[in-house]
Amino acid sequence: MTRILPISDQGAVEAALEVLRDGKPVALPTETVYGLAADATNPEAITSIYETKGRPRFNPLISHVADIEMAKAQVSFSPLAEQLAATFWPGPLTLVLPLSETSTIHPLATAGLSTAAVRMPEGFSRQLIAGFGRPLAAPSANRSGRVSPTTAQHVADDLGGRIDLILDGGRCRVGLESTILAVDGAQLRLLRPGGIPVELIEEATGKPVERSPSQSTGDSIIAPGMLASHYAPNAGVRLDATEVGPGEAVIRFGGERLAGEDNAIAVLDLSPRGDLREAAANLFDMLKRADATGATGIAVAPIPDQGLGEAINDRLRRAAAPRP
Ligand code: TXA
Ligand code: MG
């Protein structure tokens, strides 16, 4: 049985701490997507995350921290990494940094790498980590390869019956996973576009962010586990659509109609007023809803590629990629 508790519930924090201390995972809201969180220092707890998700073990997890001291006990910060943390934490930025000698993150969480991905989330999840006193490893709370959850109901649909507890914090504010940045001394490499636009990082640091050439095609693993086919709905996804084919549902942007829309199974608009933040927050929910209509395919209109559009288009390309 999976319990769902609103985070406003008096006993929510204590209930979550109990499950975590027991070495088991809890699904919880973050500002990006719902995470499946467990003690990052406990090998059984981490194993249980991989098993619950059906996730390949070579794909390392992000360790979530409550404050900068907790982060510094785990990884080494260059001055540039310090600046990024000071600017963007708490928030949707994950930094990949060298493990420090005092690190207690279990190698199962880092897949044996000499680096760890760390992030300080906003709001309830951060308070919970502070209460737990140790970092929480947390991938998105979905079965591996599926669309990430942005509501407690999405988590229940995907993982109900497999976990003890889901904390319900409503809809996630950002709706896309964090931006992942490798900080190599003074060099910045984008491993995954996400909730913090690359332009903002370049503006804040005055440094260019290197995008790997394969980033745009998504056909190789950069952050290990950034598999091309991911976020896969059941229906096939067709990108840059300008007209609607038979049996298709439509996901469009900015109130612009596609040719033949009147015959579509459903029409969803990521942001009728053309706001990329609103579009990001709606993306995963609308992919799931379009899929649930039973449409044979999902036609997605072109989305601008600046700012958050880069992350939106990255997820859409993965949703549309050929399945293994
Ligand atoms: O917004 C988010 O980041 C959400 C919420 C729950 O915080 N989490 C999330 O986790 O998206 P996940 O497991 O779905 O994605 C983590 C990504 C993977 O692509 C993994 O390969 C990469 O981070 N990663 C983890 N550790 C790494 C490392 N040491 N070096 C490079 N990539 C790493
Ligand atoms: Mg994920």
Side-chain angles (χ1 to χ4, degrees):
M1 259 295 287
T2 303
R3 258 188 314 162
I4 305 184
L5 272 184
I7 57 170
S8 56
D9 195 290
Q10 285 262 317
V13 168
E14 207 35 58
L17 290 177
E18 207 170 289
V19 178
L20 291 171
R21 288 187 195 118
D22 211 19
K24 290 192 284 191
V26 169
L28 47 79
T30 82
E31 76 278 35
T32 57
V33 299
Y34 276 72
L36 186 65
D39 186 346
T41 69
N42 176 339
E44 282 87 40
I46 300 161
T47 299
S48 146
I49 292 179
Y50 283 110
E51 281 175 355
T52 304
K53 280 182 64 87
R55 177 177 175 117
R57 313 275 168 123
F58 59 78
N59 188 3
L61 307 174
I62 298 173
S63 293
H64 296 69
V65 296
D67 50 50
I68 194 77
E69 287 70 37
M70 195 184 275
K72 284 186 173 171
Q74 302 297 340
V75 285
S76 319
F77 281 75
S78 63
L80 182 58
E82 291 238 22
Q83 188 199 351
L84 286 162
T87 309
F88 295 109
W89 283 1
L93 178 67
T94 294
L95 299 175
V96 173
L97 299 170
L99 281 169
S100 69
E101 274 169 24
T102 57
S103 174
T104 53
I105 295 174
H106 195 275
L108 277 173
T110 58
L113 297 171
S114 59
T115 54
V118 289
R119 167 167 119 77
M120 186 197 298
E122 290 170 17
F124 175 83
S125 51
R126 185 180 174 203
Q127 288 164 29
L128 185 68
I129 300 162
F132 189 57
R134 288 196 288 276
L136 291 181
S140 49
N142 53 279
R143 292 201 213 184
S144 192
R146 301 262 186 100
V147 177
S148 297
T150 54
T151 66
Q153 188 57 50
H154 292 162
V155 180
D157 292 345
D158 212 23
L159 296 180
R162 297 181 159 221
I163 53 179
D164 290 352
L165 180 62
I166 301 172
L167 295 173
D168 185 351
R171 282 168 62 101
C172 298
R173 177 178 72 78
V174 178
L176 288 176
E177 300 87 345
S178 60
T179 300
I180 306 182
L181 202 60
V183 187
D184 212 343
Q187 228 192 356
L188 300 177
R189 240 168 352 110
L190 181 69
L191 301 184
R192 176 179 76 186
I196 300 279
V198 171
E199 291 92 329
L200 283 187
I201 296 169
E202 295 185 325
E203 221 172 89
T205 59
K207 292 204 182 307
V209 173
E210 188 192 315
R211 292 171 171 83
S212 313
S214 46
Q215 184 76 53
S216 54
T217 57
D219 61 359
S220 74
I221 296 173
I222 309 159
M226 283 296 281
L227 307 170
S229 172
H230 213 91
Y231 307 101
N234 293 314
V237 175
R238 189 165 66 82
L239 302 182
D240 294 320
T242 51
E243 85 295 312
V244 184
E248 282 186 326
V250 172
I251 295 182
R252 67 180 189 191
F253 176 78
E256 283 187 41
R257 292 176 58 84
L258 271 66
E261 235 185 51
D262 293 340
N263 298 319
I265 302 291
V267 178
L268 299 165
D269 200 317
L270 290 169
S271 172
R273 61 190 155 101
D275 176 354
L276 286 168
R277 280 215 264 184
E278 181 180 36
N282 282 330
L283 178 66
F284 291 151
D285 183 57
M286 288 190 175
L287 277 172
K288 286 171 191 283
R289 279 161 53 195
D291 208 19
T293 61
T296 54
I298 305 173
V300 184
I303 314 290
D305 206 36
Q306 318 85 40
L308 282 176
E310 183 175 2
I312 294 172
N313 284 317
D314 171 80
R315 303 305 187 271
L316 285 170
R317 274 195 298 275
R318 291 177 203 285
R323 314 288 159 80

Tab-separated table of all heavy atoms in Angstrom, residues 167-207:
chain	number	residue	atom	x	y	z
A	167	LEU	N	4.778	12.069	-0.769
A	167	LEU	CA	4.412	13.353	-0.175
A	167	LEU	C	3.872	14.237	-1.289
A	167	LEU	O	4.496	14.369	-2.353
A	167	LEU	CB	5.628	14.000	0.482
A	167	LEU	CG	6.149	13.204	1.682
A	167	LEU	CD1	7.454	13.806	2.187
A	167	LEU	CD2	5.120	13.154	2.794
A	168	ASP	N	2.708	14.827	-1.042
A	168	ASP	CA	2.036	15.613	-2.074
A	168	ASP	C	2.229	17.103	-1.810
A	168	ASP	O	1.699	17.638	-0.844
A	168	ASP	CB	0.543	15.259	-2.073
A	168	ASP	CG	-0.211	15.949	-3.216
A	168	ASP	OD1	0.384	16.819	-3.898
A	168	ASP	OD2	-1.389	15.611	-3.425
A	169	GLY	N	3.000	17.749	-2.683
A	169	GLY	CA	3.228	19.194	-2.557
A	169	GLY	C	2.611	19.957	-3.713
A	169	GLY	O	3.027	21.067	-4.017
A	170	GLY	N	1.639	19.337	-4.394
A	170	GLY	CA	1.007	20.011	-5.529
A	170	GLY	C	1.883	19.939	-6.778
A	170	GLY	O	2.773	19.096	-6.876
A	171	ARG	N	1.623	20.823	-7.721
A	171	ARG	CA	2.380	20.818	-8.982
A	171	ARG	C	3.763	21.422	-8.796
A	171	ARG	O	3.914	22.408	-8.078
A	171	ARG	CB	1.629	21.657	-10.034
A	171	ARG	CG	0.446	20.935	-10.652
A	171	ARG	CD	-0.389	21.928	-11.445
A	171	ARG	NE	0.406	22.498	-12.529
A	171	ARG	CZ	0.312	22.107	-13.795
A	171	ARG	NH1	-0.525	21.166	-14.141
A	171	ARG	NH2	1.060	22.675	-14.709
A	172	CYS	N	4.752	20.853	-9.466
A	172	CYS	CA	6.115	21.378	-9.357
A	172	CYS	C	6.200	22.725	-10.082
A	172	CYS	O	5.668	22.880	-11.178
A	172	CYS	CB	7.108	20.405	-9.968
A	172	CYS	SG	7.122	18.816	-9.129
A	173	ARG	N	6.893	23.663	-9.467
A	173	ARG	CA	6.961	25.022	-10.019
A	173	ARG	C	7.660	25.065	-11.384
A	173	ARG	O	7.185	25.688	-12.320
A	173	ARG	CB	7.726	25.920	-9.034
A	173	ARG	CG	7.927	27.344	-9.515
A	173	ARG	CD	8.650	28.188	-8.474
A	173	ARG	NE	10.060	27.872	-8.328
A	173	ARG	CZ	11.022	28.263	-9.172
A	173	ARG	NH1	10.714	28.958	-10.238
A	173	ARG	NH2	12.279	27.935	-8.952
A	174	VAL	N	8.795	24.383	-11.502
A	174	VAL	CA	9.580	24.456	-12.743
A	174	VAL	C	9.081	23.431	-13.766
A	174	VAL	O	8.887	23.759	-14.930
A	174	VAL	CB	11.083	24.234	-12.452
A	174	VAL	CG1	11.894	24.255	-13.748
A	174	VAL	CG2	11.592	25.285	-11.474
A	175	GLY	N	8.913	22.193	-13.345
A	175	GLY	CA	8.328	21.186	-14.220
A	175	GLY	C	9.309	20.443	-15.109
A	175	GLY	O	8.944	19.493	-15.790
A	176	LEU	N	10.566	20.871	-15.134
A	176	LEU	CA	11.631	20.171	-15.864
A	176	LEU	C	12.742	19.889	-14.870
A	176	LEU	O	12.934	20.649	-13.929
A	176	LEU	CB	12.249	21.068	-16.934
A	176	LEU	CG	11.466	21.406	-18.173
A	176	LEU	CD1	12.275	22.396	-19.012
A	176	LEU	CD2	11.194	20.145	-18.976
A	177	GLU	N	13.530	18.859	-15.091
A	177	GLU	CA	14.623	18.550	-14.195
A	177	GLU	C	15.678	19.660	-14.203
A	177	GLU	O	15.718	20.504	-15.110
A	177	GLU	CB	15.302	17.224	-14.587
A	177	GLU	CG	14.381	16.029	-14.567
A	177	GLU	CD	13.647	15.847	-15.867
A	177	GLU	OE1	13.622	16.788	-16.697
A	177	GLU	OE2	13.090	14.750	-16.061
A	178	SER	N	16.567	19.589	-13.215
A	178	SER	CA	17.621	20.599	-13.080
A	178	SER	C	18.585	20.587	-14.270
A	178	SER	O	18.751	19.570	-14.950
A	178	SER	CB	18.411	20.326	-11.799
A	178	SER	OG	18.997	19.042	-11.847
A	179	THR	N	19.201	21.724	-14.490
A	179	THR	CA	20.328	21.831	-15.428
A	179	THR	C	21.526	21.149	-14.762
A	179	THR	O	21.796	21.394	-13.587
A	179	THR	CB	20.662	23.313	-15.672
A	179	THR	OG1	19.507	23.947	-16.220
A	179	THR	CG2	21.849	23.474	-16.615
A	180	ILE	N	22.238	20.297	-15.496
A	180	ILE	CA	23.429	19.656	-14.920
A	180	ILE	C	24.678	20.240	-15.577
A	180	ILE	O	24.816	20.225	-16.807
A	180	ILE	CB	23.416	18.127	-15.096
A	180	ILE	CG1	22.120	17.542	-14.529
A	180	ILE	CG2	24.627	17.503	-14.406
A	180	ILE	CD1	22.042	16.026	-14.620
A	181	LEU	N	25.578	20.730	-14.732
A	181	LEU	CA	26.771	21.419	-15.184
A	181	LEU	C	27.995	20.768	-14.553
A	181	LEU	O	28.064	20.638	-13.325
A	181	LEU	CB	26.658	22.859	-14.694
A	181	LEU	CG	27.447	23.949	-15.384
A	181	LEU	CD1	27.078	24.043	-16.849
A	181	LEU	CD2	27.167	25.282	-14.677
A	182	ALA	N	28.955	20.343	-15.374
A	182	ALA	CA	30.223	19.853	-14.828
A	182	ALA	C	31.154	21.047	-14.680
A	182	ALA	O	31.335	21.814	-15.630
A	182	ALA	CB	30.839	18.812	-15.764
A	183	VAL	N	31.675	21.237	-13.484
A	183	VAL	CA	32.603	22.337	-13.252
A	183	VAL	C	33.983	21.717	-13.082
A	183	VAL	O	34.254	21.026	-12.113
A	183	VAL	CB	32.228	23.130	-11.988
A	183	VAL	CG1	33.105	24.366	-11.854
A	183	VAL	CG2	30.761	23.522	-12.015
A	184	ASP	N	34.819	21.986	-14.080
A	184	ASP	CA	36.143	21.383	-14.126
A	184	ASP	C	37.125	22.528	-13.934
A	184	ASP	O	37.463	23.199	-14.893
A	184	ASP	CB	36.308	20.749	-15.515
A	184	ASP	CG	37.183	19.528	-15.465
A	184	ASP	OD1	37.898	19.373	-14.463
A	184	ASP	OD2	37.133	18.740	-16.433
A	185	GLY	N	37.516	22.821	-12.677
A	185	GLY	CA	38.322	24.012	-12.429
A	185	GLY	C	37.545	25.242	-12.859
A	185	GLY	O	36.508	25.553	-12.299
A	186	ALA	N	38.050	25.918	-13.926
A	186	ALA	CA	37.378	27.134	-14.402
A	186	ALA	C	36.530	26.855	-15.638
A	186	ALA	O	36.023	27.770	-16.277
A	186	ALA	CB	38.409	28.210	-14.698
A	187	GLN	N	36.384	25.564	-15.990
A	187	GLN	CA	35.663	25.210	-17.220
A	187	GLN	C	34.261	24.697	-16.927
A	187	GLN	O	34.065	23.913	-15.989
A	187	GLN	CB	36.450	24.111	-17.929
A	187	GLN	CG	36.656	24.385	-19.389
A	187	GLN	CD	37.174	23.147	-20.096
A	187	GLN	OE1	37.448	22.113	-19.474
A	187	GLN	NE2	37.295	23.247	-21.400
A	188	LEU	N	33.302	25.128	-17.732
A	188	LEU	CA	31.909	24.726	-17.525
A	188	LEU	C	31.416	23.900	-18.709
A	188	LEU	O	31.526	24.321	-19.861
A	188	LEU	CB	31.020	25.966	-17.388
A	188	LEU	CG	31.363	26.906	-16.236
A	188	LEU	CD1	30.446	28.128	-16.267
A	188	LEU	CD2	31.235	26.170	-14.905
A	189	ARG	N	30.874	22.720	-18.397
A	189	ARG	CA	30.334	21.859	-19.453
A	189	ARG	C	28.882	21.515	-19.151
A	189	ARG	O	28.575	21.066	-18.033
A	189	ARG	CB	31.144	20.576	-19.541
A	189	ARG	CG	31.795	20.374	-20.883
A	189	ARG	CD	32.834	19.257	-20.900
A	189	ARG	NE	33.165	18.696	-19.617
A	189	ARG	CZ	32.828	17.454	-19.230
A	189	ARG	NH1	32.127	16.673	-20.019
A	189	ARG	NH2	33.199	17.019	-18.039
A	190	LEU	N	28.013	21.706	-20.125
A	190	LEU	CA	26.600	21.377	-19.954
A	190	LEU	C	26.397	19.882	-20.167
A	190	LEU	O	26.675	19.364	-21.241
A	190	LEU	CB	25.767	22.162	-20.967
A	190	LEU	CG	24.256	21.951	-20.895
A	190	LEU	CD1	23.685	22.549	-19.617
A	190	LEU	CD2	23.579	22.561	-22.117
A	191	LEU	N	25.921	19.182	-19.130
A	191	LEU	CA	25.641	17.750	-19.278
A	191	LEU	C	24.164	17.492	-19.557
A	191	LEU	O	23.809	16.481	-20.134
A	191	LEU	CB	26.059	16.988	-18.015
A	191	LEU	CG	27.530	17.105	-17.618
A	191	LEU	CD1	27.831	16.225	-16.408
A	191	LEU	CD2	28.442	16.705	-18.774
A	192	ARG	N	23.313	18.416	-19.086
A	192	ARG	CA	21.881	18.300	-19.383
A	192	ARG	C	21.246	19.674	-19.253
A	192	ARG	O	21.374	20.300	-18.215
A	192	ARG	CB	21.211	17.340	-18.386
A	192	ARG	CG	19.697	17.229	-18.568
A	192	ARG	CD	19.050	16.253	-17.596
A	192	ARG	NE	18.943	16.801	-16.254
A	192	ARG	CZ	18.517	16.122	-15.186
A	192	ARG	NH1	18.185	14.849	-15.316
A	192	ARG	NH2	18.451	16.704	-14.012
A	193	PRO	N	20.578	20.161	-20.315
A	193	PRO	CA	19.850	21.424	-20.161
A	193	PRO	C	18.667	21.194	-19.220
A	193	PRO	O	18.137	20.091	-19.160
A	193	PRO	CB	19.376	21.749	-21.578
A	193	PRO	CG	19.394	20.470	-22.320
A	193	PRO	CD	20.385	19.549	-21.641
A	194	GLY	N	18.272	22.214	-18.462
A	194	GLY	CA	17.178	22.032	-17.508
A	194	GLY	C	16.640	23.354	-17.018
A	194	GLY	O	16.629	24.345	-17.754
A	195	GLY	N	16.226	23.375	-15.771
A	195	GLY	CA	15.459	24.485	-15.207
A	195	GLY	C	16.152	25.828	-15.135
A	195	GLY	O	15.485	26.849	-15.020
A	196	ILE	N	17.487	25.859	-15.157
A	196	ILE	CA	18.199	27.142	-15.243
A	196	ILE	C	18.744	27.282	-16.660
A	196	ILE	O	19.596	26.497	-17.080
A	196	ILE	CB	19.391	27.212	-14.253
A	196	ILE	CG1	18.935	27.058	-12.797
A	196	ILE	CG2	20.185	28.506	-14.455
A	196	ILE	CD1	18.397	28.312	-12.158
A	197	PRO	N	18.265	28.282	-17.420
A	197	PRO	CA	18.749	28.444	-18.800
A	197	PRO	C	20.260	28.694	-18.832
A	197	PRO	O	20.800	29.378	-17.958
A	197	PRO	CB	17.989	29.670	-19.298
A	197	PRO	CG	16.793	29.801	-18.418
A	197	PRO	CD	17.200	29.237	-17.083
A	198	VAL	N	20.917	28.133	-19.836
A	198	VAL	CA	22.362	28.298	-20.002
A	198	VAL	C	22.752	29.775	-20.077
A	198	VAL	O	23.774	30.193	-19.529
A	198	VAL	CB	22.825	27.559	-21.279
A	198	VAL	CG1	24.266	27.871	-21.610
A	198	VAL	CG2	22.640	26.066	-21.104
A	199	GLU	N	21.911	30.566	-20.731
A	199	GLU	CA	22.206	32.004	-20.863
A	199	GLU	C	22.400	32.657	-19.495
A	199	GLU	O	23.261	33.521	-19.332
A	199	GLU	CB	21.054	32.721	-21.595
A	199	GLU	CG	20.915	32.348	-23.073
A	199	GLU	CD	19.955	31.176	-23.297
A	199	GLU	OE1	19.852	30.297	-22.411
A	199	GLU	OE2	19.315	31.133	-24.373
A	200	LEU	N	21.595	32.250	-18.510
A	200	LEU	CA	21.704	32.839	-17.169
A	200	LEU	C	23.021	32.458	-16.510
A	200	LEU	O	23.617	33.247	-15.774
A	200	LEU	CB	20.557	32.349	-16.269
A	200	LEU	CG	19.186	32.967	-16.467
A	200	LEU	CD1	18.238	32.483	-15.370
A	200	LEU	CD2	19.287	34.488	-16.421
A	201	ILE	N	23.482	31.239	-16.759
A	201	ILE	CA	24.745	30.775	-16.179
A	201	ILE	C	25.903	31.559	-16.796
A	201	ILE	O	26.820	32.001	-16.104
A	201	ILE	CB	24.914	29.255	-16.419
A	201	ILE	CG1	23.806	28.500	-15.682
A	201	ILE	CG2	26.297	28.781	-15.987
A	201	ILE	CD1	23.701	27.035	-16.046
A	202	GLU	N	25.836	31.758	-18.107
A	202	GLU	CA	26.902	32.502	-18.789
A	202	GLU	C	26.928	33.955	-18.338
A	202	GLU	O	27.990	34.539	-18.128
A	202	GLU	CB	26.722	32.387	-20.313
A	202	GLU	CG	26.915	30.949	-20.779
A	202	GLU	CD	26.872	30.778	-22.289
A	202	GLU	OE1	26.105	31.496	-22.957
A	202	GLU	OE2	27.616	29.902	-22.795
A	203	GLU	N	25.735	34.518	-18.129
A	203	GLU	CA	25.641	35.892	-17.669
A	203	GLU	C	26.230	36.042	-16.256
A	203	GLU	O	26.978	36.976	-15.983
A	203	GLU	CB	24.167	36.266	-17.613
A	203	GLU	CG	23.810	37.645	-18.101
A	203	GLU	CD	22.298	37.753	-18.163
A	203	GLU	OE1	21.712	38.135	-17.142
A	203	GLU	OE2	21.720	37.402	-19.219
A	204	ALA	N	25.886	35.114	-15.390
A	204	ALA	CA	26.310	35.219	-13.986
A	204	ALA	C	27.816	35.016	-13.831
A	204	ALA	O	28.445	35.629	-12.969
A	204	ALA	CB	25.559	34.198	-13.135
A	205	THR	N	28.413	34.154	-14.672
A	205	THR	CA	29.825	33.811	-14.494
A	205	THR	C	30.729	34.557	-15.469
A	205	THR	O	31.946	34.623	-15.261
A	205	THR	CB	30.055	32.303	-14.726
A	205	THR	OG1	29.635	31.989	-16.064
A	205	THR	CG2	29.275	31.467	-13.726
A	206	GLY	N	30.159	35.065	-16.556
A	206	GLY	CA	30.969	35.664	-17.605
A	206	GLY	C	31.791	34.634	-18.357
A	206	GLY	O	32.738	34.972	-19.067
A	207	LYS	N	31.436	33.345	-18.210
A	207	LYS	CA	32.180	32.284	-18.897
A	207	LYS	C	31.267	31.541	-19.863
A	207	LYS	O	30.078	31.367	-19.582
A	207	LYS	CB	32.689	31.272	-17.867
A	207	LYS	CG	33.745	31.821	-16.971
A	207	LYS	CD	34.590	30.695	-16.418
A	207	LYS	CE	35.627	31.197	-15.466
A	207	LYS	NZ	36.467	32.267	-16.014
